[in-house]
Amino acid sequence: MVYKDYSFFSYVFLATTVILLAGHVHGAGLCDNSPNKQVCYSIVYKRTDPREATVAAVHKLVDQTRVAKVVAQRQTNSTEITKCITNFNGAIINTKDVLLELDEGDYSDAYSLFNAASNKYLGCDEKFSYANKTNPIAKSTKHLKAMAEVGAYLTTLIK
């Protein structure tokens, strides 16, 4: 009798292990071809569904853009900083609209909106570059652009 119970629990353990490992392997594959694996892993960690990961990317991008906007507002006022703040506001709108497009199942529009947000972050850097000035929030805009690129990449994985 004890032997039968032991065998049963061994099979349950084995089945559980296989299921968990299969889910983990699938989730790890979401970032294999990502443009920025480190950012992708930070967004996708413990997620195996591309749609879930994309929604997480949207929420994280909105939150991080708000943080960057606050940092920009603390800088010395200039036309470049004003442009960055305007771009950040537009990027927040774009990324929130991604959620609407995901709900409607329009993944190509969601992808386009991620790209629009990415271009807004790039526009912030370009404004400083055209003025031959150093962007005091360059790290923030580079990070946000990478996050938007990962979000766009994840959108292509949704079926």
Side-chain angles (χ1 to χ4, degrees), residues 38-85:
Q38 186 178 11
V39 174
C40 188
Y41 288 142
S42 74
I43 294 169
V44 175
Y45 185 64
K46 293 188 179 182
R47 291 180 178 82
T48 58
D49 178 25
R51 187 179 188 292
E52 226 180 85
T54 306
V55 169
V58 171
H59 289 294
K60 189 167 185 174
L61 189 56
V62 169
D63 181 59
Q64 293 298 306
T65 303
R66 286 183 177 144
V67 170
K69 181 179 162 186
V70 168
V71 171
Q73 289 170 330
R74 291 182 181 161
Q75 302 300 315
T76 304
N77 196 12
S78 68
T79 58
E80 295 81 19
I81 285 293
T82 302
K83 178 67 174 175
C84 287
I85 293 168

Side-chain angles (χ1 to χ4, degrees), residues 103-125:
D103 286 343
E104 293 175 7
D106 194 342
Y107 305 122
S108 63
D109 278 356
Y111 176 83
S112 296
L113 287 164
F114 267 122
N115 284 332
S118 180
N119 288 334
K120 285 181 174 59
Y121 303 129
L122 184 62
C124 177
D125 285 333

